[in-house]
Structures are given as C-alpha cells and as structure tokens.
Amino acid sequence: AGKKVNFSRPRAYGILQEIITKKPIIDVERAKYFTESMMETEGEALILRWAKAMRHVAENCTVYIDDKQLIAGRVGCEGRYGILYPELDGDFLDLAIEALPSRVESPFEISDSDAKIVINDIAPYWKGKTYHEALANALPKETLRYTFDPSDPMKSRFIVNETSSFRSSIQWVHDYEKVLQKGLKSIIELAESKLAELDPMSPVDQTDRKSFYEAIIIDCQAIIHWAKRHAVLAREKAAAESDPQRKQELIDMAERCEWVPENPARDFREAVQSQWFIQMWSRVEQKTGTIISNGRMDQYFYPYYQKDIEAGKLTDDDVLELFECMWVGMAQFIDLYISPTGGAFNEGYAHWEAVTIGGQTKDGRDATNDLTYLFLQSKREFPLHYPDLAARIHSRAPERYLFEVAETIKEGSGFPKLINDEEVIPLNLAKGAKLEDAYDYAVSGCSESRMPNVETYTSPCAYINFPAALEMTMYNGKMRLHGDEQIGLQTGDPREFKTWDEFYNAYMTQQMSFLKHAFIQQHTINNLRQNHFAWPLGTALNDTAMKAELDLHTTHIPGGIDLGYFELMGYGTLVDSLCVIKKLVFEDKKISMDTLIKAMENNFEKNDVLCKLIENAPKFGTNDPYADSIAKEIDRTCLEFTRKYSKQLGIHLDLRLVPFTSHVPFGKVVSATPNGRKQFTPLSDGASASQGCDAKGPTAVLVSNYNSKNYDYRERASRLLNIKFSPVTMAGEEGTEKLVNFIKTWCDLKLWHIQFNVLNQSTLVAAKKDPEKYKGLIVRIAGYSAYFTDLSPDLQDDLIARAEHTTV
Ligand code: 8X3
C-alpha cells in the first residue's frame, strides 16, 4: 500500500525478489552441530558446554555470502530459512518434521536427507532431556491442568499458558555499542585477566569462576572465528570474480570480516558488519522469543556515520543501500516454531527485532539526528516488513520528527510503532533504574522496553485467558470445550446468584485462582530454566551478569533489575461481557441469567432481540465510564495481586496486554461469551476494543485506555494498542496533521504503545480472496507486521473485523 519505492538502488530489491516468494526451509546445521557437541560435554558446567557447542557450530557450519550482498553472513541456507533448537522443544521434532510442510500457520519445507538427520541423529539424544518435558514434569498437578492437557502434555491448554517451552528467552537487547566501540577482544582480554587472577587453591575459583570465564572466551572466539571464515570465503569469491566492481566489494568485505567484531569498528561499514555478525550469531546461540532486538541504531551508529560523512567516505545513499542489505538479510531468517503452540503465538513467520529510533539521550535531551531520518526514509521506501521500526516519542519531540513519523505510518505498512517515553521512563525509574539508564532504554519485541546492561530477567512468562475465567464462572468451573472436566474451581451456578456482587465475587475467585496458578507456574519456570539454558554471548554483553560472574539465565543475578510480566488476554472481551451481566442481567433486569446462558450455549444463533440488547450495552473503547470503571477495577485487582506476590518470586512481574497473534488460539478454546462473541472466535487483542466495538472513533479508544489504567501502581507494563485508519482519513497534509495531533494526544495520556494500520477493509477482503495478486501486502498485526497472505484464514478474518476508522 502506497510505498514510494526508490528504484535508484536496485541491489537489495534484486535479492528481495529472489527470496520473497520462497517457502521457508528448515536448516538443520545448528541443531546437528549443537547436539554433537552437547553429547561430548555431559557433566561440565552448562555455560561451558554451551560455549563449546557454539564453537563446534562456528567451526563447521556453512558460511554464506550472497551474490549481490554488501554484508557478509547468514545463519542458514539460501532463500528463507529457519533453524532448530532441540534443547528447547526437541520432543516435538518427529511430529514437527511430519507436520510442518503442510501446517496452515507458517509452513516449512525440509529435504529428505535433512529430515533423516533430524529423526536419526538429533531427536533421539534430546528425548527425555528437553526443557519442555522437564517443565511438564515439574509443574504441580493443579497448575498443570490449566497449562497442558494432563493426558498429553504436548498440547497447551491456552488457559493459563506458559510460553517458556517455545523460546528460551524473552525478547532481549544486547549492548551492541560495546562491540562496536571496544570489539569482542576487549571482553576476551577481561576474561583472560580474570582467569589469571584465580586462586589456584580455591574450590569456587577452580570450578564455577573458571568455567564461567573460559566459556566467555570460547564463545567470543567462536564468533570471531566464524567472522573470519567469511573473510576467507569473500577472498575466494573475489579471486573468481570477473566484474571489477564486485571484485572490489568482495575484497573490502574480506577486510572488514578480518577486523570486526574482534576489534573496534573503524568506520560506518565496519560498524554495520560488526553489528550484523552479533545479531546473526544471537540467533544461533539462543531461541529468543521475537528475536534479539537491534537497540538504538540511530544512536550507536551515529558517530561512525558522522565521521564518514564528514570525511567524504560515505553518502546517505550508501547508508540506505547498506540498511536495505541488512533488512533483506533479516527477512531471510525465519523464526521457526516447531511446537503447535509456538506456531499459533507467532503467525506469519513472525519475528520483530525492533530497531529503535528517536527518544531521549542519557541526559534527557531529544535524541533525534540525521540517521533517525534516514531510518524513516528507508522504511518509507523499502517494501519489506523488516526492520520492525520503533519510534520513541516524548513530550518535546521535534515537529519534523512527528511529521515524518506520521508520513511513514501513512505509507501503509504499519511502521513505525510508537513507544511513549512519558510512560516507560518513569516506570523504569520506579522499578529501580538510574536516570541515565531509564532514558537510554531500547524497544524490544512487540512493545517492551529493555535497559541493556541493567536488566537480567530472561524468563518467558504466562499468558492468561481471562475470558476463560469468565467462562468458568458461567459453568461452575468447567469449559464447554472440555465437557465435564472440572478444570477450575466450583463457584456455583450463576443462575442462583441474586446480586451483581455475588456474580462478581465468583468471577474474582476464578480470576484469582488463574493468577495463583500463573505465579506458581512462573516460580517453577524461574528455577528450572537455568538447568537447561545458558547464554554466553548475552552474558558477555551484559555488565551486570559479567560483574556477578553468572550466566544471564541464572534465576537471580545480584544487582540486576528483573522485569517479568504476566499477560491479560482478552481484556475487551472480558470487560464487555461483564458490562452485559452487570447492566442487562442485574441492574436493568432486561435478560435473565438463564436466557443469557442458553443463548451462549446456542452460540447466539437466531436471537436477534438479545443480540440487539447486547450490542447497545456499554463497551470498552468507547469512552464509556461504565465500561471503563469495570476495566480499571480488573486492571487494579491484577496489579494488587502482583504487588503482593511478585516479591516472593524476587522479581517484578508486571501486568501486560501484549498478545502477539495468540488472541486467535486463546479464542479457540473459549465458547460464546456474554458480549455476543461467537464460540471459538478470536478474543479482543491487547488493549484494543473488541472487534467492531470501537465505533466512537480512535480517540475514544485512547481515552478508555487512559481511564482504565491505574497510574498509582508501578506494577504496570506495556499495553499494546492497534488502531486501523482508512487511507482516506489520513490523506494529504491535513491527514498528516491529524495523525500528528492524535500521536500527541496519545503521548499526553501516557499510554505505552500504539500502532496503526492504514488500510481499507475492502483491500484485505480482496487480498484474502486473491492472495496471488496481493503477495506483497504488509499488515500490522500485534506489535509487528507480516505479509497478509502468509497468515491463517482465522487471523485474516480477525484483521478484517478490526474496526476501520474514518474519523478521528
Ligand atoms: C512480546 C514478546 O518475549 O516479551 O514482545 O513475550 S515477549
């Protein structure tokens, strides 16, 4: 939609054209070499085993330089590729290899010979050893029932759903600046000096500390070795090249790969190559949910850019071309989820390694610079949903920045997403950060913030299906999908309840029981992960972990700020449903509980009168105080719970509303809800209004969010907010002005995140019908964007159903 594609730089388009329609392939090398090494090192410290496994991969994996590329290195085969992490969920491997090529959500191909390697050489070693199996064994029975199907723990329940079994870490951001400025050799030197100082008689020094520093050295050396293998390949390719221009490009590339990331980058091109090696290698080392984000690129690249521009060594066009080469490289990597749960959470081959721009400097000044604007230009021009561009907004953001951000959003592919400094920074401070670190946060994953070097909590957390708690209130602890199984508490037959209070207390009992199980789950996960995962690279790049001499996955790292979360799924669905019950059943007595339940059991078929009543009931997202006060109370009860119990876990476990695409699978387990939502259809997403219920316009959605937040609790975190505008509303300069004002209102209201789709509903309907014609159509989903035609029909329908605003 509407991209002003710049064809004066054809290089990256060429690569893009070749890869875009290719079905992703599973590359088994990482899993194969990782497994080979892990077989050899049993009994050693885990961080050391991990580092040795990385070395084995670095020494043996195929290295790649694409024909037209200016940046060397990929971590998988030609086209689009995904890699495997058997240590995490290898118990799914057999199943996955069979099912992946035909999966509806994000299918993958695998060659017959690679499938044999997976089935014969990789999967058998991990059977009985994976994290996923260990978790199913470790969860208390009561909690397991809410998490996995007790008769088949391979199946998630989407009730109180853990997410740690399909990613070994949450979204994360490295301190890339450290590598660019000092090189990996500075970390190796530090570790070597620590090793030299170890007390030869100390049992701790000679075991834990020795393994720790050896692992750091081995891991950094592995990355350097891998980089140098690219230098060798580049020289080989240069020798065989007849085109003098390409020959020179390859020779330059070889020189860069010989120098970085071992040494400090000397110019912009080296800085880009160095950053690329680190972000690529991160993918090999760890299955990070949503991938390692790229941090504040307009800040840490800027000194190199400025120096080269001043020296006349670089033009803005060169910079844009390099960025484009990076974006296609990112798009070639696909975040492969082999478990059905992971696949459902991350539809559309989702990964969003956010590139942060704008915001404030460490001393609280506006941080925008010339590179900020080049990132925005690149986003407007290059027809790809990578990078996941995230613009930090603050109350003194320059008009030019807001204007260009708005213009970029209008181009139609949903970028950049916006994150609000006025909400994030005070919360970072309230959770114990120093001012300079709080100002210097980078956007991470869909909508989160990370303070590299300060944060140390990497554990994926619980997604909680609140409409399922409501369903259990309606059916005395049961869910229609699960028949007679008593999953939840018996809170009574709601037909017997005489007052709203009685109903609400029953609901709260279910909700609090869900929270209890989520926290038990999290406690179990926090303690378990360190036995299964290590992360030498993440550790090497995190000052707090290095100071503590502990792997970043250690349950507690002294001096770190531990920011976890739990997810409120289906907020709009829940609030609208509670409004129906409170107002129509108990206050106005327009319908009886029995009628409502029967209508729900009947999936609201042929019940126009009731549906009309429900349609006119108060709705979240319409700036209706009735609905917003219920929403605020639900929010508060969650915050109160975590205020009390997260201390026992020794972390911040904050309330978040960030669904990825999981509101679709979560909806698939919930039968019809009192708000008229049909059975097994998607829940509302994030902090958005229920599908089709934001008829009062997007400003009302903002105000409802403002009114339902509890600003006196620091236990809050991201609320993800999707807004869809029709292109006509945003047309011309007047439209841009409207959008800028809308963004300013959002900033004033201290809402955390917002993202826009500027698309006609009719375009989406047409794309669903005729996918071939709309192959390049990019849509914003939930904190990230994807090709519309890569999505499942369920998610496509959900996007079509999200209201499209023609007014502000
Ligand atoms: C959402 C992803 O990793 O925080 O951005 O759950 S994660």
Side-chain angles (χ1 to χ4, degrees):
K3 286 244 166 205
K4 290 180 191 139
V5 177
N6 187 334
F7 289 107
S8 68
R9 294 182 303 273
R11 185 189 298 270
Y13 295 108
I15 308 174
L16 185 60
Q17 290 312 319
E18 277 165 34
I19 62 160
I20 195 167
T21 49
K22 295 224 163 104
K23 193 166 173 185
I25 295 172
I26 299 177
D27 187 304
V28 301
E29 286 194 353
R30 183 268 178 199
K32 175 175 153 32
Y33 296 124
F34 184 84
T35 304
E36 276 177 11
S37 176
M38 291 301 265
M39 284 176 179
E40 296 291 310
T41 57
E42 283 187 6
E44 297 179 32
L46 192 58
I47 187 169
L48 191 54
R49 295 182 72 197
W50 217 274
K52 287 181 177 175
M54 288 300 107
R55 180 172 66 194
H56 192 56
V57 180
E59 284 171 352
N60 293 290
C61 68
T62 313
V63 292
Y64 298 93
I65 296 169
D66 284 341
D67 276 351
K68 304 182 184 95
Q69 259 291 359
L70 290 175
I71 309 174
R74 264 192 289 119
V75 291
C77 51
E78 271 90 23
R80 299 199 283 172
Y81 61 91
I83 57 181
L84 298 168
Y85 305 84
E87 69 277 17
L88 177 66
D89 49 11
D91 48 318
F92 282 106
L93 276 171
D94 301 342
L95 191 90
I97 296 305
E98 242 173 67
L100 275 175
S102 57
R103 186 166 79 178
V104 177
E105 303 103 1
S106 322
F108 274 80
E109 292 290 2
I110 185 163
S111 70
D112 288 348
S113 57
D114 280 354
K116 276 201 192 105
I117 292 179
V118 172
I119 289 165
N120 300 332
D121 303 343
I122 300 173
Y125 176 73
W126 294 102
K127 279 264 148 49
K129 293 195 188 74
T130 68
Y131 170 77
H132 174 251
E133 292 159 291
L135 176 61
N137 284 334
L139 286 173
K141 259 207 175 87
E142 287 290 293
T143 305
L144 180 79
R145 207 168 60 216
Y146 285 82
T147 315
F148 299 120
D149 182 342
S151 62
D152 180 5
M154 282 197 157
K155 288 199 188 122
S156 293
R157 279 240 147 129
F158 297 102
I159 300 174
V160 178
N161 208 86
E162 61 77 39
T163 63
S164 64
S165 65
F166 59 81
R167 56 230 180 112
S168 35
S169 165
I170 31 175
Q171 31 68 33
W172 201 252
V173 182
H174 291 316
D175 177 7
Y176 297 98
E177 194 170 347
K178 190 178 286 143
V179 183
L180 302 194
Q181 291 191 356
K182 299 184 182 151
L184 288 180
K185 81 170 180 198
S186 71
I187 298 168
I188 295 173
E189 281 162 11
L190 173 84
E192 280 171 347
S193 71
K194 293 282 184 187
L195 273 183
E197 286 165 12
L198 293 183
D199 177 347
M201 304 307 284
S202 157
V204 172
D205 281 18
Q206 292 306 317
T207 53
D208 302 350
R209 296 187 69 210
K210 186 162 178 276
S211 303
F212 178 84
Y213 285 115
E214 279 177 1
I216 298 294
I217 294 168
I218 292 170
D219 201 74
C220 290
Q221 281 172 343
I223 302 169
I224 293 167
H225 178 77
W226 179 65
K228 291 194 172 169
R229 288 182 62 209
H230 290 86
V232 173
L233 180 62
R235 288 212 188 277
E236 280 167 17
K237 281 187 173 261
E241 181 63 56
S242 53
D243 173 7
Q245 189 197 329
R246 183 61 185 160
K247 197 182 197 61
Q248 192 55 50
E249 283 173 4
L250 288 163
I251 292 168
D252 294 345
M253 185 187 278
E255 280 171 9
R256 287 196 284 277
C257 297
E258 270 150 14
W259 186 256
V260 292
E262 180 175 16
N263 297 291
R266 294 167 296 194
D267 61 18
F268 186 78
R269 289 181 175 87
E270 281 186 359
V272 168
Q273 181 66 65
S274 186
Q275 198 277 355
W276 179 249
F277 277 140
I278 298 299
Q279 65 155 306
M280 274 292 116
W281 195 256
S282 293
R283 296 160 207 246
V284 177
E285 192 143 337
Q286 199 81 190
K287 172 84 175 160
T288 313
T290 76
I291 304 299
I292 304 284
S293 284
N294 282 303
R296 305 186 70 185
M297 271 188 166
D298 63 345
Q299 304 302 299
Y300 62 71
F301 278 153
Y302 187 68
Y304 303 94
Y305 166 81
Q306 197 185 23
K307 197 170 128 220
D308 287 4
I309 290 276
E310 273 167 20
K313 276 175 64 178
L314 188 77
T315 65
D316 283 355
D317 237 32
D318 295 334
V319 172
L320 289 166
E321 187 170 56
L322 275 164
F323 285 165
E324 289 165 357
C325 283
M326 190 183 259
W327 310 155
V328 283
M330 274 184 198
Q332 283 178 271
F333 174 87
I334 303 290
D335 201 11
L336 166 59
Y337 287 89
I338 61 167
S339 80
T341 311
F345 259 82
N346 299 272
E347 264 198 52
Y349 306 114
H351 55 105
W352 42 107
E353 45 284 87
V355 168
T356 305
I357 55 167
Q360 294 168 76
T361 56
K362 282 184 189 173
D363 59 347
R365 310 274 155 185
D366 178 64
T368 52
N369 59 35
D370 290 346
L371 262 187
T372 314
Y373 293 105
L374 284 180
F375 279 106
L376 285 166
Q377 184 182 340
S378 180
K379 194 77 248 175
R380 287 195 294 276
E381 291 179 351
F382 200 62
L384 189 58
H385 48 316
Y386 296 98
D388 185 35
L389 195 65
R392 283 179 46 178
I393 306 287
H394 62 87
S395 60
R396 292 154 290 110
E399 285 296 312
R400 176 185 170 197
Y401 178 60
L402 294 175
F403 179 87
E404 285 211 25
V405 162
E407 283 283 298
T408 312
I409 289 168
K410 279 172 56 176
E411 296 295 329
S413 49
F415 294 105
K417 60 189 173 192
L418 311 183
I419 306 290
N420 195 346
D421 279 12
E422 307 306 331
E423 172 72 340
V424 173
I425 291 170
L427 282 172
N428 281 343
L429 282 176
K431 288 163 197 169
K434 290 192 202 126
L435 254 174
E436 65 263 35
D437 294 322
Y439 277 129
D440 198 29
Y441 79 88
V443 180
S444 178
C446 308
S447 61
E448 286 66 51
S449 109
R450 285 273 162 252
M451 295 173 283
N453 286 317
V454 176
E455 289 189 45
T456 46
Y457 187 74
T458 62
S459 177
C461 299
Y463 280 56
I464 308 173
N465 193 335
F466 279 57
L470 182 67
E471 178 166 356
M472 289 192 191
T473 317
M474 305 305 287
Y475 301 110
N476 200 11
K478 296 181 180 166
M479 293 178 76
R480 286 174 61 74
L481 182 72
H482 297 294
D484 271 343
E485 189 184 346
Q486 187 72 46
I487 300 174
L489 301 171
Q490 290 185 312
T491 43
D493 179 353
R495 293 176 185 87
E496 312 280 312
F497 298 156
K498 301 278 176 301
T499 62
W500 160 250
D501 283 350
E502 234 180 301
F503 181 88
Y504 190 66
N505 286 340
Y507 167 73
M508 267 302 142
T509 305
Q510 298 288 359
Q511 181 193 293
M512 289 310 177
S513 160
F514 274 38
L515 291 180
K516 172 181 123 180
H517 289 296
F519 276 53
I520 290 174
Q521 203 182 66
Q522 202 57 50
H523 187 49
T524 311
I525 289 166
N526 288 350
N527 291 330
L528 193 65
R529 287 175 65 256
Q530 63 180 2
N531 304 330
H532 290 264
F533 308 117
W535 197 0
L537 176 60
T539 306
L541 297 180
N542 183 293
D543 288 347
T544 310
M546 283 299 279
K547 191 163 168 226
E549 300 173 332
L550 290 172
D551 182 271
L552 201 46
H553 287 322
T554 310
T555 303
H556 288 292
I557 297 185
I561 296 181
D562 288 328
L563 300 184
Y565 65 86
F566 62 104
E567 198 70 40
L568 195 174
M569 296 291 301
Y571 194 41
T573 308
L574 172 72
V575 171
D576 294 355
S577 295
L578 290 174
C579 285
V580 166
I581 293 169
K582 185 174 185 204
K583 182 126 184 59
L584 298 184
V585 177
F586 288 107
E587 287 176 4
D588 299 353
K589 302 197 186 329
K590 291 245 170 78
I591 38 177
S592 70
M593 187 65 87
D594 187 50
T595 309
L596 179 63
I597 292 177
K598 284 199 176 116
M600 285 162 53
E601 286 174 351
N602 219 10
N603 203 23
F604 294 104
E605 297 301 341
K606 300 198 186 100
N607 211 333
D608 295 349
V609 179
L610 184 72
C611 288
K612 197 81 214 152
L613 280 172
I614 289 174
E615 204 181 303
N616 291 329
K619 299 272 183 297
F620 177 70
T622 60
N623 187 14
D624 181 331
Y626 192 96
D628 293 353
S629 65
I630 292 179
K632 186 175 182 195
E633 183 55 16
I634 297 291
D635 186 88
R636 195 194 58 76
T637 56
C638 296
L639 295 168
E640 198 56 50
F641 186 91
T642 189
R643 179 175 277 188
K644 185 159 178 201
Y645 291 109
S646 64
K647 275 191 215 95
Q648 292 186 7
L649 272 61
I651 54 176
H652 299 272
L653 213 51
D654 297 324
L655 175 64
R656 215 175 75 169
L657 283 80
V658 181
F660 314 50
T661 59
S662 66
H663 59 294
V664 177
F666 275 79
K668 280 189 181 153
V669 303
V670 179
S671 64
T673 39
N675 66 331
R677 175 193 144 275
K678 296 285 177 89
Q679 62 185 3
F680 313 128
T681 59
L683 305 178
S684 60
D685 75 89
S688 308
S690 291
Q691 290 80 348
C693 290
D694 43 0
K696 295 267 167 66
T699 309
V701 179
L702 296 190
V703 177
S704 275
N705 266 283
Y706 174 75
N707 285 336
S708 58
K709 280 179 66 163
N710 289 275
Y711 286 97
D712 50 341
Y713 284 77
R714 70 169 180 174
E715 289 78 7
R716 62 187 198 273
S718 170
R719 276 188 180 204
L720 186 137
L721 191 54
N722 288 307
I723 300 275
K724 191 155 80 183
F725 282 114
S726 75
V728 66
T729 329
M730 294 290 124
E733 206 158 309
E734 200 189 323
T736 308
E737 244 169 68
K738 266 194 250 170
L739 189 50
V740 167
N741 286 331
F742 187 76
I743 292 169
K744 285 180 178 170
T745 305
W746 163 83
C747 182
D748 285 348
L749 292 175
K750 300 193 192 314
L751 304 180
W752 181 296
H753 159 281
I754 196 161
Q755 65 188 20
F756 303 89
N757 256 324
V758 186
L759 279 170
N760 281 322
Q761 223 158 27
S762 53
T763 311
L764 299 181
V765 173
K768 191 177 174 211
K769 264 205 198 120
D770 190 358
E772 277 310 308
K773 203 168 145 201
Y774 289 87
K775 268 242 166 286
L777 180 67
I778 295 169
V779 289
R780 196 98 195 119
I781 300 174
Y784 69 103
S785 297
Y787 288 114
F788 185 75
T789 53
D790 274 347
L791 304 174
S792 69
D794 285 343
L795 189 56
Q796 289 182 335
D797 288 341
D798 182 56
L799 290 166
I800 291 168
R802 285 181 195 171
E804 165 194 316
H805 293 291
T806 47
T807 54
V808 179

